[in-house]
Structure formats: structure tokens, C-alpha cells
Amino acid sequence: MPLLTRNVQYSGSRTSARRKLAIGTWYEPGDPSMYGVVDVEVDRALQYLEEVRKKTGKHITLTHMVGKAIAEAIRRNPDCNSILRWGKIYRRKTIDVFYLVAVDKDGKDLSGTLVRDADQKTLLQIAEHLE
């Protein structure tokens, strides 16, 4: 039977001795946020998005594509989609991506929406969900 939290369904997984040791030596984080910066050449991606826009008539952006790429990266590296609870690692059963979206025309009022099973959705399906 799967364990449930308010918004995440996950199941237990085998934990290696190395991970158990790491869990036992980690200190509780003061801030669970992770930050990173990477420069990526996106000329070909933008060209592809323009072609998809012309073909579908949908407003598909680089943001949609980045979310889809993150979902694909997590699918290929499922250990990244885990949570640590009470000294045990639990792998999430689905790959969900949270997007910040503007809810007004000026883009000053941001809210968020969750795209469940993002790894199983096409770029067009993600764009339509966020629309």
C-alpha cells in the first residue's frame, strides 16, 4: 500500500549501506532550497519552438520546454525524485513539475500550478495544461 502525504504519493525503497550512513551523518538543513546557474545555448530550441507554434497555433515557450526537460531528466535519474522522511528515502511514484505562472496580463501576479506526470505529457499537452 502506498504511503501518502497531502500532495505526493510515494513508496519505500531499498536503502544502501552508504545511503544509510549518509542519512545518519547529515545535519538537518536550515533551508531546503537548492540554487544553481547554468548557461545553455538555446538557439535551436527557440527555432524548434517557433516551428511548433506555427504548426499548432499554441503559445509554447522555453519555460514549457525546460519543465519537460526536467521531467525527462528525473525519469532518467529516478533517485532524484525521492524524499527523506524520518531517516528513510522514499521514491515518488510520479514525476510532477511545478510551474510559476502569471495570472494577470502584466505578469505581476504570480501563482503556481502543478503538472502531474509531466514525463508522460508532450510539450503541447504541458502548454495546454498551463494555458
Side-chain angles (χ1 to χ4, degrees), residues 28-83:
E28 187 174 310
D31 178 6
S33 301
M34 295 187 329
Y35 300 94
V37 176
V38 63
D39 289 323
V40 179
E41 181 62 45
V42 296
D43 290 341
R44 288 179 54 192
L46 293 174
Q47 184 179 17
Y48 171 77
L49 291 174
E50 186 60 34
E51 291 170 14
V52 172
R53 281 187 208 118
K54 286 178 182 175
K55 198 180 290 186
T56 64
K58 295 288 183 178
H59 181 70
I60 299 176
T61 68
L62 198 53
T63 301
H64 300 120
M65 183 179 268
V66 169
K68 175 62 178 170
I70 289 169
E72 179 61 20
I74 292 170
R75 186 190 66 75
R76 293 181 185 191
N77 301 280
D79 284 344
C80 294
N81 199 23
S82 301
I83 60 174

Side-chain angles (χ1 to χ4, degrees), residues 105-129:
K105 290 183 181 184
D106 298 328
K108 293 180 181 176
D109 188 12
L110 294 178
S111 187
T113 188
L114 185 67
V115 177
R116 295 204 182 270
D117 298 310
D119 61 314
Q120 297 175 27
K121 290 184 170 47
T122 65
L123 191 56
L124 183 59
Q125 288 172 323
I126 289 172
E128 287 173 343
H129 177 89

Side-chain angles (χ1 to χ4, degrees), residues 73-103:
I74 292 170
R75 186 190 66 75
R76 293 181 185 191
N77 301 280
D79 284 344
C80 294
N81 199 23
S82 301
I83 60 174
L84 180 62
R85 286 271 164 96
W86 301 103
K88 290 187 178 184
I89 296 174
Y90 297 94
R91 186 175 293 164
R92 290 181 173 96
K93 289 190 168 191
T94 60
I95 297 173
D96 306 329
V97 176
F98 184 82
Y99 287 83
L100 280 177
V101 294
V103 293

